[in-house]
């Protein structure tokens, strides 16, 4: 181009003066400039692009949902007896096991009640033993003719009364024992203390929860699924869950409940559970849930980086006879960095994966690299 510019300048300012003398020289220069231009055109082979062939692979389409992680079980623990809190044993954030003591209520009054019930029980037990012995002896005397039937009947009645009194005393002692045990507030499940609403010295009753315990080792997500989507879900469906808070990490879930009736919003309640043994997920996080169809199909796939959106439609470019060809495509689904095609791209088509943004349909292209396969491209271009 510099040669051409020189030629133009030379012609503009000098040709009138030197027209007759230097015409042959001008002609030679013009030919040289045109030669440079032709060589430049020959070196221009089109837009540089990288390509990969569309493949077919087994894949299962999926339904995608967004949901809130919740504990599988959350229990509000209420004081079961009235009294003053003597001590707090466990605090917010502590891990607890079923039966662990969380707090203690003063036992003095309940201990007195137990002692009274225990003494009454011992008395009733001794009385029952005495009446039982007398009744058996009266039975023997009656058999041998040494006692009347009236005496036997009276002794039998006394024995039955003593038995009833013993049972009553035993029940009273059991209740007193239970009340005494209830002065210790215990955890009904394994989990973590999410909240505590009592403190030492506080007077408590059963009117409000003292602790809230959550099982965070197992989490759940409640979903609402449309009528059309429900047919693609079963308790055998593969479930993949991931969170933006933990990039690159996925979790396996399980569909544990599918409602047979719609809720007020028209959706069908579906519950998914997942293991959180490592406690890497937090209750309250929003996660993405993918529920896959049970059957796998052979689908045409290309890298997600190959597609673009134009005027509200998805397109990709293929290479045919060294030219870019724009193809309108219909997506079936996207799984991670791969796009599965319903129509528009066929297996074996050479798809542009880099440089397509500079192409128009029909433009010449120069393939600078052809990737061996989609997986190779994704491995080196994953972000």
């Amino acid at each position: 181009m510099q040669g051409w510019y020189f030629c133009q300048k030379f012609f503009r300012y000098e040709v009138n003066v030197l027209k007759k003398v230097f015409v042959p020289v001008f002609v030679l220069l013009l030919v040289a400039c045109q030669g440079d231009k032709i060589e430049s055109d020959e070196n221009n082979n089109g837009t540089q692009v990288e390509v990969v062939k569309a493949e077919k692979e087994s894949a299962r389409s999926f339904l995608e949902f967004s949901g809130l992680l919740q504990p599988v079980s959350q229990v509000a623990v209420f004081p079961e007896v009235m009294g003053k809190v003597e001590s707090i044993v466990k605090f917010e954030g502590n891990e607890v096991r079923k039966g662990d003591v969380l707090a203690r209520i003063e036992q003095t009054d309940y201990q007195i009640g137990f002692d009274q019930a225990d003494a009454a029980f011992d008395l009733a037990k001794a009385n029952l033993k005495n009446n039982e012995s007398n009744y058996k002896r009266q039975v023997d005397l009656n058999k041998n003719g040494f006692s009347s039937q009236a005496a036997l009947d009276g002794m039998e009645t006394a024995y039955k009364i003593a038995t009833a009194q013993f049972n009553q005393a035993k029940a009273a002692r059991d209740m007193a024992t239970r009340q005494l045990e209830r002065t210790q507030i215990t955890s009904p499940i394994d989990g973590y203390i999410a909240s505590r609403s009592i403190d030492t010295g506080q007077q408590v009753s059963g009117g409000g929860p003292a602790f809230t315990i959550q099982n965070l080792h197992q989490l759940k997500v409640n979903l609402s699924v449309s009528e059309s989507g429900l047919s693609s879900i079963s308790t055998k469906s593969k479930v993949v869950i991931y969170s933006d808070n933990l990039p690159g990490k996925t979790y396996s879930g399980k569909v544990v409940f599918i409602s047979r009736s719609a809720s007020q919003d028209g959706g069908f309640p579906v519950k998914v559970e997942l293991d959180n043994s490592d406690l890497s997920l937090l209750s309250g996080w929003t996660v993405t849930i993918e529920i896959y169809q049970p059957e796998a199909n052979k689908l045409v796939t290309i890298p997600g980086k190959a597609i673009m959106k134009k005027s509200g439609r998805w397109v990709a470019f293929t290479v045919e006879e060294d030219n870019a060809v724009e193809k309108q495509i219909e997506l079936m689904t996207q799984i991670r960095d791969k796009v599965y095609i319903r129509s528009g791209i066929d297996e074996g088509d050479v798809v542009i994966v880099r440089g397509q943004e500079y192409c128009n349909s029909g433009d010449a292209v120069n393939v600078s690299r052809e990737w061996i396969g989609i997986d190779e491209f994704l491995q080196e271009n994953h972000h």
Side-chain angles (χ1 to χ4, degrees):
M1 291 302 295
Q2 290 178 351
W4 180 245
Y5 173 74
F6 169 75
C7 293
Q8 289 178 322
K9 183 176 181 182
F10 180 86
F11 179 76
R12 184 180 301 118
Y13 293 103
E14 303 296 337
V15 71
N16 291 328
V17 179
L18 302 174
K19 182 176 181 182
K20 294 181 179 180
V21 179
F22 292 105
V23 166
V25 176
F26 173 74
V27 171
L28 289 173
L29 288 172
L30 183 61
V31 170
C33 293
Q34 288 176 336
D36 289 344
K37 184 173 186 297
I38 292 170
E39 182 179 352
S40 175
D41 287 342
E42 288 176 352
N43 291 332
N44 183 12
N45 295 324
T47 304
Q48 300 286 316
V49 296
E50 296 180 13
V51 299
V52 69
K53 286 185 178 179
E55 302 171 358
K56 265 193 175 183
E57 66 176 46
S58 293
R60 289 182 288 182
S61 59
F62 63 85
L63 299 174
E64 184 175 285
F65 304 91
S66 180
L68 198 67
L69 289 175
Q70 302 175 49
V72 163
S73 56
Q74 175 172 301
V75 180
V77 184
F78 290 78
E80 296 185 84
V81 294
M82 295 178 62
K84 184 183 293 185
V85 177
E86 183 177 72
S87 62
I88 303 295
V89 180
K90 300 289 185 180
F91 298 85
E92 295 91 331
N94 287 168
E95 181 179 9
V96 295
R97 297 293 181 184
K98 181 179 180 178
D100 282 357
V101 176
L102 308 177
R104 292 186 175 92
I105 296 172
E106 289 185 354
Q107 294 184 340
T108 305
D109 293 343
Y110 297 99
Q111 184 65 54
I112 292 172
F114 170 78
D115 292 342
Q116 291 175 339
D118 190 52
F121 172 79
D122 289 341
L123 182 61
K125 183 177 179 180
N127 185 49
L128 175 61
K129 185 177 180 179
N130 182 57
N131 277 276
E132 183 181 17
S133 177
N134 290 338
Y135 173 66
K136 289 180 179 179
R137 186 166 53 251
Q138 194 66 35
V139 170
D140 291 338
L141 290 173
N142 183 265
K143 285 183 180 179
N144 295 318
F146 295 107
S147 174
S148 66
Q149 186 61 39
L152 179 60
D153 292 343
M155 190 57 65
E156 182 180 8
T157 300
Y159 173 61
K160 289 180 179 180
I161 292 172
T163 302
Q165 290 173 338
F166 170 80
N167 291 334
Q168 186 179 35
K170 182 178 182 300
R173 191 187 68 162
D174 289 345
M175 179 57 70
T177 301
R178 188 167 178 79
Q179 291 292 88
L180 185 61
E181 290 172 347
R182 285 174 172 173
T183 58
Q184 297 192 121
I185 303 174
T186 60
S187 175
I189 61 170
D190 295 345
Y192 288 80
I193 298 177
S195 64
R196 173 177 62 92
S197 57
I198 61 172
D199 212 337
T200 303
Q202 181 179 342
Q203 193 75 22
V204 297
S205 65
F211 296 87
T212 301
I213 311 295
Q214 295 179 335
N215 178 6
L216 300 179
H217 290 285
Q218 194 79 8
L219 299 176
K220 68 178 180 181
V221 183
N222 293 319
L223 306 175
S224 180
V225 180
S226 66
E227 182 180 351
S228 59
L230 199 66
S231 60
S232 302
I233 296 177
S234 77
T235 54
K236 295 182 180 179
S237 295
K238 177 185 176 182
V239 180
V240 177
I241 300 169
Y242 54 94
S243 168
D244 290 340
N245 297 310
L246 299 172
K249 191 166 185 179
T250 60
Y251 297 82
S252 295
K254 182 176 177 59
V255 176
V256 297
F257 172 73
I258 302 173
S259 178
R260 294 181 177 273
S261 59
S263 57
Q264 292 183 350
D265 65 0
F268 289 79
V270 171
K271 183 165 70 174
V272 170
E273 291 184 1
L274 66 151
D275 180 73
N276 189 39
S277 298
D278 61 358
L279 298 177
S280 57
L281 294 168
L282 300 183
S283 176
W285 275 3
T286 299
V287 292
T288 301
I289 303 98
E290 297 171 352
I291 303 181
Y292 289 76
Q293 289 183 335
E295 298 291 331
N297 298 310
K298 282 280 190 180
L299 303 175
V300 175
T301 179
I302 62 175
K305 292 180 181 294
I307 65 173
M308 299 187 301
K309 207 160 193 178
K310 284 189 174 183
S311 301
R313 56 193 179 92
W314 290 106
V315 300
F317 283 87
T318 60
V319 175
E320 299 177 14
E321 299 180 353
D322 297 327
N323 292 320
V325 178
E326 183 178 307
K327 298 288 186 71
Q328 183 174 342
I329 59 176
E330 183 181 358
L331 302 182
M332 178 171 287
T333 188
Q334 181 168 352
I335 302 177
R336 303 292 177 265
D337 297 326
K338 293 181 181 180
V339 175
Y340 294 88
I341 308 299
R342 190 186 302 276
S343 65
I345 300 289
D346 295 322
E347 182 182 13
D349 284 353
V350 179
V351 180
I352 300 176
V353 292
R354 181 170 290 148
Q356 69 272 31
E357 63 269 28
Y358 306 112
C359 295
N360 291 308
S361 194
D363 286 353
V365 294
N366 178 30
V367 177
S368 61
R369 178 171 183 177
E370 182 171 354
W371 295 86
I372 296 174
I374 292 175
D375 289 338
E376 181 199 30
F377 173 77
L378 293 178
Q379 286 173 5
E380 293 194 28
N381 294 272
H382 178 71
H383 297 290

